[in-house]
Amino acid sequence: MSRRPPTPSFALRRFFANVAPWCVAVTASAAFSAARAAVAERQILEQFVAEADAGRPVFQLMDAAGDYGVAAAMAGAEFLDEQKPARSQALYELISLTANCRRRHADILRLYQPAAFHLFYAPDGVATQRQLAKGLEWKNWPAALPEAVVRAAPIPTLEWLRKQAQSQAPEREKLRMLLPPLGWWLRAYNERQSVADFQAALGAMTANAALTGDEPTCLALLHALADTRAVQSLDFVLQQFRAATPERRAAAVESAGQILYPEPFEDTHGNTLDAARIHALPEFLRLTREETDATVLAKAGPAAESWMEEPQIGQAMLALFTRVSDALTQRNILFAVAKTRWPQRGQIIQRGLEATGNGVLGVALEAIAAHPLPELAPATLALLEAQKEIQPSLIDAAGALGDPHALPTLLRWLSREKNMALQLKLALALEKIPGAESSRALADLLNNSADPMIVEQLCRMASRREIQGATPTLVSLAEDLTAPLPIRCQAVWTLGRYQEPAARECLARLTRDPEKYFPAAGNALVPEGVEQARIYIPLARWRQGDTSTGAEITTRFASGTPSTQLVCLLAFAELRCDHPVISTALNSGDFAVLLGSVRAAGAAAPAKYSARLRALRASPVISVLSVSGLDTSRLSAALETSIHAGEQESAKP
Amino acid sequence: MSASFLSSKWTALFFAGGLLFSGAPGQAHESPVDHVEREFDLSVRDGQLVLTYRLRYADRALLMQIHQMDVNADGKLTDEEATAFFAAQATRLADLFTIQVEGKPLHFKPAGPMRPDARLGQTYEFSAPVGSLAAGRHPGLLIDGYSRMYPGSFRWRRPGDEGPAKTRVEPLTPSDSPRAVLHPEWLELHFEIIVPN
């Protein structure tokens, strides 16, 4: 039977039946709520002002006013009074608190705080911003004013900054109050509307000698330029490399480093800072050659990280490391070495291993863990042999180098070590050293350890690297109903790596009766841990090569929680195998699932998913998320990696 | 509250985190699964058991919701897109509740539009006919299936303040019970409907 296409009248009826009641209800409810809120908000504000005038605490009222968002602050603007500093201070604290919402996406404000959306995005919101920022013109600023105006009144704040930039007698003290909160606001990616305008306003200040000629103001300006990453002002910053005072030179080096530091999403929009880095290179190299002040040189290492692969910088850091004896400078260079890929990194680390400065050797060993270069093995092994007591950084370095000559010492330490964290560190080092001897040691530890954390980590190691003799313990753990569920999950997944009959037979038993091995104890809902254990069974069989489990994975994925879906997607990412759940998950509205799908798509079939990954990157909200400071799990980086993998795969003949 | 949470959810997230960040050992990170704070308010009105359910999401989760709302991906959220999303969300939430009074299952249905608030809260209302209850205490159970997917803390918003003369609901599972604080598998809240003589 064919479905009748919806006619206009049908569509209209459906609209009135389904959507219109919601719209009417929303409108009526909103109007009623708004009227009631306005009265309550006014009452709270009046009480707030009375308490502040009386010098009493207003914390509770401030919290209550928060229910009304920035609307409370707007209502409070009329009470701002230069002659009443205590009241104005309290009101600016309230404005600052409630206007913190400006860091949010415009549509979030539109949905949840329409007053804030109007204040910040409507043309006539500027008039209210001016009311809120009227304290900018006062003789004495309340301490809370700078942060409040940065958050609540960007347009008047910009106007005030521009005025100072043009003034022959700028208000330097007030400017020094305003620049730090402005810098923090931009550094935290909170500014959504006027980044370029703020950068330009600060840039204009660098041309005002009345500001740059004053040491404290110039230092504050350099810090603000760093916080706002004002690359337009790079020339001014570079000029300050030659300033008379070391404080100013140090601030300039720090500022240049922050301005030029590569952001994770720098390439996303095609506007890299490569040209600026090339432009700044000669002056930075000169400074590393000629500077003698230890405070300035200590900033050189972190700043050098901006040139991730530049051989000239590597050479300059090598020369600087050799020239100076200051431990802080040397440590900072080694920290930078760990994060960069300079060709001279091995030589710098080698010198670090020979250094006698306070803590330099430890940082050099950390750098080896990041860059386990073969030429560093002899010195590291010599240190290892000479070391009587267990040394955590040395364990990491020896493990990263993967040299079997490190085994005797590491095994000796493991045999007598009781501390769980150090046992784990030693086990992780052994995992990276190939050969039967390390495998045997790991198997012994897995078979004999009673510590759940150690056992779980060893199961993971057995998943990453085949450990001879591990299978019986893995089988035992997978089937042991008394063992902690996360260990059992890991054991099941790890068994998928092993082709031995015992591993296959165990997974077959679990497949036949997952409810018996992972019971849900009569609950109305299946606990997430049990759900995950059950999905690991078909995933492990898939890992063994049995792709007939694909349909079961799809079913379990569909009913899974976001955590379960994430675990499943990351399993496919680890296996670099495509599966229909990846395509499904790329449409997800859940952050964790989307993140897992991007990783899985990039690992499993990047060319196949290339168009969808690009569309996702270009989608309005995801692109905003990438530069918002909310992307702490690095979805944007995962997208870049997966898209890049797709380009490489497509380029293959 | 279901048991054995610590042996599952946190460690599952830890495991996921371990896989996610295996390329960067030692780096601190937060869970990619956004937690959701909840407030419950149960009452009896006109023969209906009414649940007022307020959710507070993290900023990232709200952005993801906007990503979902923007069905044509033009970056311009319309009222229609938002209304349709929240109506669908209300239905989804209703279906995820398990509610019983005196052991008899009830089924919640959305009873009005979502109400947003300035603290980024979303308040939904659900109702289910509870029938006529005799005077006395009637035990009830509310299982929040949505909390299984998106865990987080909870509190009762208005714990039985209707006064002794009216039919009221008294929560039996306190917000600060150890199990609630310890991040349960899902929220399983016991309450009593008290019908006065």
Side-chain angles (χ1 to χ4, degrees):
Chain A
M1 193 174 74
S2 63
R3 283 184 64 186
R4 200 176 67 170
T7 61
S9 62
F10 174 80
L12 205 60
R13 279 203 306 277
R14 193 173 57 178
F15 174 81
F16 279 113
N18 297 331
V19 181
W22 287 92
C23 295
V24 170
V26 168
T27 309
S29 166
F32 177 71
S33 299
R36 196 174 54 179
V39 173
E41 168 193 297
R42 180 83 195 174
Q43 286 172 344
I44 286 179
L45 247 300
E46 285 171 355
Q47 197 184 346
F48 182 93
V49 168
E51 296 291 309
D53 283 349
R56 288 192 286 266
V58 290
F59 306 121
Q60 285 187 332
L61 287 165
M62 194 153 341
D63 186 54
D67 281 343
Y68 305 99
V70 87
M74 289 158 65
E78 68 174 277
F79 297 103
L80 287 168
D81 186 340
E82 188 174 10
Q83 305 308 317
K84 295 189 180 341
R87 174 204 291 187
S88 297
Q89 167 68 13
L91 282 168
Y92 272 119
E93 285 177 20
L94 177 65
I95 292 168
S96 182
L97 179 79
T98 55
N100 197 28
C101 66
R102 194 166 71 83
R103 67 193 169 90
R104 298 204 161 93
H105 189 270
D107 278 328
I108 291 180
L109 294 184
R110 203 163 67 79
L111 284 171
Y112 298 89
Q113 289 205 18
F117 180 76
H118 191 267
L119 173 66
F120 302 133
Y121 291 93
D124 59 347
V126 180
T128 312
Q129 285 190 31
R130 291 193 204 292
Q131 283 291 309
L132 291 167
K134 62 181 166 192
L136 281 170
E137 303 307 325
W138 294 349
K139 187 177 176 195
N140 295 309
W141 280 4
L145 178 142
E147 187 178 68
V149 294
V150 166
R151 293 176 177 187
I155 291 175
T157 304
L158 275 164
E159 290 168 352
W160 188 87
L161 288 169
R162 289 179 189 128
K163 191 171 140 193
Q164 304 312 309
Q166 301 303 321
S167 172
Q168 297 301 307
E171 298 190 78
R172 292 189 294 234
E173 195 178 334
K174 288 178 179 170
L175 185 62
R176 291 199 298 272
M177 288 172 71
L178 185 63
L179 289 180
L182 175 64
W184 299 328
W185 180 257
L186 273 95
R187 192 172 187 171
Y189 304 106
N190 287 335
E191 181 57 50
R192 291 183 178 273
Q193 299 172 281
S194 309
V195 173
D197 290 336
F198 277 117
Q199 288 172 333
L202 294 175
M205 285 182 192
T206 64
N208 185 341
L211 293 169
T212 59
D214 178 63
E215 183 76 359
T217 307
C218 188
L219 288 175
L221 187 55
L222 282 167
H223 289 306
L225 291 170
D227 287 336
T228 56
R229 306 200 70 207
V231 71
Q232 307 90 323
S233 302
L234 184 61
D235 279 338
F236 170 76
V237 174
L238 295 175
Q239 284 165 21
Q240 303 309 310
F241 278 26
R242 295 170 188 259
T245 65
E247 290 79 13
R248 199 187 283 209
R249 296 199 303 277
V253 173
E254 191 176 12
S255 179
Q258 288 184 29
I259 289 172
L260 297 173
Y261 191 81
E263 289 282 4
F265 44 81
E266 186 177 310
D267 292 336
T268 309
H269 307 295
N271 47 354
T272 71
L273 294 173
D274 287 347
R277 288 188 193 102
I278 291 168
H279 176 68
L281 184 60
E283 185 59 13
F284 185 74
L285 292 172
R286 182 204 62 76
L287 178 122
T288 63
R289 282 194 307 272
E290 297 176 6
E291 180 64 59
T292 55
D293 186 274
T295 315
V296 182
L297 290 174
K299 306 285 184 187
E305 291 171 23
S306 297
W307 292 271
M308 284 278 178
E309 301 188 43
E310 174 55 54
Q312 294 182 72
I313 292 289
Q315 190 60 40
M317 289 298 107
L318 177 60
L320 180 60
F321 192 97
T322 311
R323 177 163 72 88
V324 301
S325 56
D326 173 54
L328 178 60
T329 302
Q330 290 187 332
R331 287 200 307 266
N332 283 347
I333 291 172
L334 285 164
F335 280 128
V337 163
K339 296 177 197 165
T340 53
R341 294 179 291 278
W342 303 323
Q344 298 83 355
R345 58 192 184 277
Q347 294 172 67
I348 299 173
I349 297 171
Q350 189 75 49
R351 279 172 173 68
L353 292 175
E354 297 157 7
T356 54
N358 183 20
V360 177
L361 174 60
V363 186
L365 290 169
E366 286 179 27
I368 293 175
H371 301 293
L373 303 168
E375 68 258 34
L376 298 169
T380 310
L381 291 170
L383 281 168
L384 196 65
E385 282 176 26
Q387 187 74 29
K388 299 288 179 224
E389 294 301 315
I390 196 160
Q391 223 287 347
S393 312
L394 207 42
I395 297 171
D396 292 340
L401 287 165
D403 192 318
H405 291 100
L407 276 175
T409 305
L410 295 178
L411 291 173
R412 191 174 69 247
W413 283 350
L414 182 62
S415 67
R416 65 182 193 211
E417 186 53 56
K418 303 289 179 219
N419 180 294
M420 188 268 281
L422 288 174
Q423 277 186 349
L424 198 52
K425 216 175 224 318
L426 285 160
L428 286 164
L430 290 174
E431 182 197 350
K432 292 173 191 152
I433 298 175
E437 199 176 353
S438 60
S439 179
R440 226 175 3 256
L442 290 171
D444 285 347
L445 197 55
L446 173 65
N447 296 336
N448 298 316
S449 178
D451 186 291
M453 179 67 90
I454 297 271
V455 173
E456 188 180 347
Q457 292 298 323
L458 282 160
C459 286
R460 283 188 200 186
M461 290 176 211
S463 178
R464 291 192 291 260
R465 167 199 169 163
E466 197 154 316
I467 296 176
Q468 294 299 321
T471 308
T473 303
L474 292 170
V475 168
S476 169
L477 287 168
E479 297 185 357
D480 181 358
L481 270 67
T482 65
L485 210 44
I487 295 179
R488 299 183 65 202
C489 283
Q490 189 58 54
V492 172
W493 172 239
T494 301
L495 280 169
R497 187 193 168 107
Y498 293 76
Q499 298 293 340
E500 296 159 61
R504 290 183 171 279
E505 287 158 15
C506 172
L507 288 177
R509 283 192 296 277
L510 298 179
T511 302
R512 276 195 296 277
D513 202 350
E515 287 78 15
K516 175 188 156 192
Y517 287 100
F518 297 102
N523 282 312
L525 301 169
V526 176
E528 192 174 58
V530 173
E531 179 183 90
Q532 287 175 8
R534 290 178 184 175
I535 201 172
Y536 268 127
I537 301 168
L539 281 168
R541 286 177 55 208
W542 178 289
R543 192 179 188 185
Q544 280 184 332
D546 181 2
T547 53
S548 71
T549 62
E552 185 187 347
I553 292 170
T554 303
T555 307
R556 292 195 182 277
F557 181 90
S559 62
T561 65
S563 282
T564 301
Q565 294 186 344
L566 175 64
V567 160
C568 179
L569 290 162
L570 294 178
F572 282 116
E574 190 181 336
L575 297 181
R576 298 185 172 273
C577 282
D578 194 17
H579 186 280
V581 297
I582 298 173
S583 177
T584 306
L586 280 169
N587 290 327
S588 176
D590 180 275
F591 180 83
V593 178
L594 196 62
L595 178 64
S597 72
V598 168
R599 292 198 172 216
K608 173 184 164 184
Y609 293 112
S610 178
R612 291 183 66 188
L613 292 167
R614 286 174 187 280
L616 190 60
R617 181 176 66 180
S619 69
V621 175
I622 298 300
S623 57
V624 164
L625 181 74
S626 302
V627 293
S628 67
L630 294 174
D631 187 15
T632 49
S633 296
R634 305 180 70 207
L635 173 65
S636 56
L639 268 169
E640 288 310 312
T641 305
S642 295
I643 289 168
H644 183 64
E647 287 165 356
Q648 287 190 316
E649 194 175 88
S650 300
K652 282 181 191 165
Chain B
M1 222 83 46
S2 69
S4 80
F5 175 74
L6 282 177
S7 63
S8 56
K9 193 179 288 277
W10 278 117
T11 33
L13 288 175
F14 179 77
F15 174 65
L19 280 172
L20 263 174
F21 297 93
S22 55
Q27 284 186 6
H29 60 85
E30 59 182 42
S31 166
V33 176
D34 290 308
H35 285 39
V36 181
E37 293 174 22
R38 293 168 170 78
E39 288 177 356
F40 295 86
D41 178 359
L42 276 171
S43 59
V44 176
R45 278 183 252 150
D46 303 327
Q48 300 276 322
L49 181 62
V50 177
L51 169 66
T52 305
Y53 184 54
R54 180 168 178 263
L55 299 164
R56 274 187 71 190
Y57 291 92
D59 281 23
R60 184 172 66 189
L62 291 175
L63 266 181
M64 293 302 295
Q65 285 192 343
I66 289 171
H67 177 60
Q68 285 175 279
M69 287 178 212
D70 185 18
V71 286
N72 60 3
D74 65 350
K76 293 171 190 156
L77 193 62
T78 64
D79 289 345
E80 289 75 20
E81 284 174 326
T83 305
F85 173 84
F86 287 119
Q89 181 77 343
T91 305
R92 179 181 177 222
L93 293 170
D95 290 342
L96 287 166
F97 283 118
T98 302
I99 178 91
Q100 294 173 2
V101 173
E102 297 274 18
K104 279 174 36 184
L106 307 177
H107 182 66
F108 272 140
K109 285 189 174 170
M114 185 282 287
R115 300 193 303 275
D117 63 65
R119 292 193 193 270
L120 306 187
Q122 299 176 3
T123 301
Y124 296 87
E125 198 161 281
F126 305 96
S127 65
V130 73
S132 71
L133 295 168
R137 292 175 173 265
H138 304 271
L141 172 66
L142 173 67
I143 298 174
D144 180 359
Y146 189 59
S147 70
R148 179 174 171 268
M149 294 190 279
Y150 296 99
S153 60
F154 86 98
R155 72 183 182 109
W156 294 98
R157 188 156 195 183
R158 197 171 54 96
D161 63 356
E162 292 88 344
K166 289 188 173 174
T167 298
R168 61 192 189 277
V169 178
E170 276 192 7
L172 297 180
T173 308
S175 308
D176 58 354
S177 71
R179 280 185 162 180
V181 175
L182 280 176
H183 206 317
E185 281 282 6
W186 55 76
L187 291 175
E188 212 170 283
L189 307 177
H190 294 268
F191 61 90
E192 277 184 340
I193 299 175
I194 301 172
V195 182
N197 289 316

